[in-house]
Amino acid sequence: MKIERVETAYYRLPLEPMGDAGHGAIDTEELITLELHAEGLTGHGYAYTIGRGGRAVRSLIDNDIVPLILGRDATNIRGLWDLMWQRLLYVGRGGLASFSIAAVDVALWDLYGVREGKPLYALLGAGAREIPAYGSGVDLPKPLRALLAQTEGFLERGLPGIKVKVGRVDPRDDEERLEAVRRLIGEDIDLMVDANMAWNTEEALERGRRLERFDPYWYEEPTIPEDVAAHARISREMDVPVAVGESLHSPHEFRRYVDEKAAGVLQIDPITNGGITASLEALKMADGAGLSTSSHYTDELSAHLLCASKEPVYLEKHAFALDPYLEEPQLVTNGRVRPSESPGTGLRFDTQALAPYRNA
Ligand SMILES: [Mg+2]
C-alpha cells in the first residue's frame, strides 16, 4: 500500500487566556493537520503545540519526513516509525521531531483502521471499555472565584475527578485554592494537582508535603522531566503517586522513569510522546511494572489507547478541547468516555470550522 501523497495544513486556534507554572501564559493552540493518501484511501493525523513551534513541526514534516516516506508501504507502521526516528536522530531524539513523527504515525494508524474497517482500539488488540474522565483546567492565573466556577462546571458534567494547577509564588495561595476546591467537591471526587515542573527537588518535596492534607490523587510533574532521580526520590519520600508523561518525548524517556521507579502513573500523549506507536510502548512498560496509566490531552486518541492498558485510571478532559473543530466530539456519559467505533481513530476535523484560523 504505497504512500502517494501527504498534505499538511497549519492553524492558530485562539484559547481563552490560561496558564500554568511551567509554560507561562497560553492563549493559542497551534494545530498541524495531516492527510496521508495511499491507494485511494486517506489517513488523518495531527500534531498540536501550546502556541510555539508549530511552524517548525510542519516544516520538518513537509521538508524532511514526507520525502522520506513517499513510495513506501503505509502498512509497515513500525518500520516507518523507526525510519523517521533514525533519519531525524541528529536533530531529534525527542522535541519537535517527536511531534512531527507523531502526526504521520497517527495518520498511518488511522489509514490502517480505515483499510481494515476497524476502530483503532481493535487494531491495538483491545476491547472497547469505558474510562473515567477528569476535568482539567489550565487555571493557575484564575482568581479563586473563577477556579471554583470552573470546578462547578466539571461537577455538573458528572466528572469524578478534577485537576488543579499549583505553583503560585506564595505557597499559601496554593493551599487556599486547594482547600476551597476540596471543600466544594467533597471527599468522593478525586483531586489531582499539577505543578508543571515549577520546582527544584527540595521545593517539590516541601510544597508537595504541604498539599498532602488535601488528599491529592496524584502529584503531577513536580520538577523538570530531565531529573529522573528527583522524581524517584519524590516517589519514595511521598505517599502520593507522582504522575508524568506529557513532557516525555520517546519510549526511551518513559523507560528511564519505569526502570528508576520514578513515577506511579504514566500519562500518555500520543502527540508529544512521538505517536501512537510510541505511546503504546509506554503503556506496555506501565503494564509490565504494574503502574497506573492516564492520558494528557489527545482525548480522542487516548480513549483508544487506554483500552489497551491494564490499569487505565483516568482520561484527561483537557481545557484545550478540540470539540468545536471536530465532526464528532467525544461524549462524556456518567463521567466516562468510550473510544469511537468509526474505522481508524474516528477523529475528523471539521475543515469549515477550522477555516478562519488557517495560516499559510
Ligand atoms: Mg500536566
Side-chain angles (χ1 to χ4, degrees), residues 329-340:
Q330 186 178 68
L331 297 177
V332 178
T333 309
N334 299 322
R336 292 166 171 262
V337 296
R338 294 181 66 87
S340 161

Side-chain angles (χ1 to χ4, degrees), residues 163 165 194 196 220-221 246 267 296 316:
K163 188 163 82 191
K165 299 291 191 190
D194 187 356
N196 289 99
E220 182 169 330
E221 293 200 310
E246 68 183 84
Q267 300 165 297
H296 173 256
E316 179 179 41

Side-chain angles (χ1 to χ4, degrees), residues 234-254:
I234 296 163
S235 293
R236 270 195 315 274
E237 294 189 14
M238 288 185 60
D239 294 331
V240 181
V242 167
V244 296
E246 68 183 84
S247 301
L248 304 186
H249 300 316
S250 73
H252 308 289
E253 295 187 10
F254 277 101

Side-chain angles (χ1 to χ4, degrees), residues 48-75:
Y48 74 91
T49 79
I50 58 172
R52 283 174 283 276
R55 292 181 185 88
V57 169
R58 186 188 187 193
S59 170
L60 267 178
I61 296 169
D62 289 347
N63 293 308
D64 299 296
I65 294 182
V66 172
L68 196 60
I69 63 172
L70 281 181
R72 295 188 188 262
D73 178 9
T75 64

Side-chain angles (χ1 to χ4, degrees), residues 63 114 252 342 345:
N63 293 308
V114 168
H252 308 289
S342 301
T345 66

Side-chain angles (χ1 to χ4, degrees), residues 21 140 164-168 174 178 193-196 198-199 211 219:
L140 196 66
V164 173
K165 299 291 191 190
V166 293
R168 286 206 159 204
D174 285 342
L178 284 186
V193 297
D194 187 356
N196 289 99
W199 298 315
L211 301 177
Y219 186 20

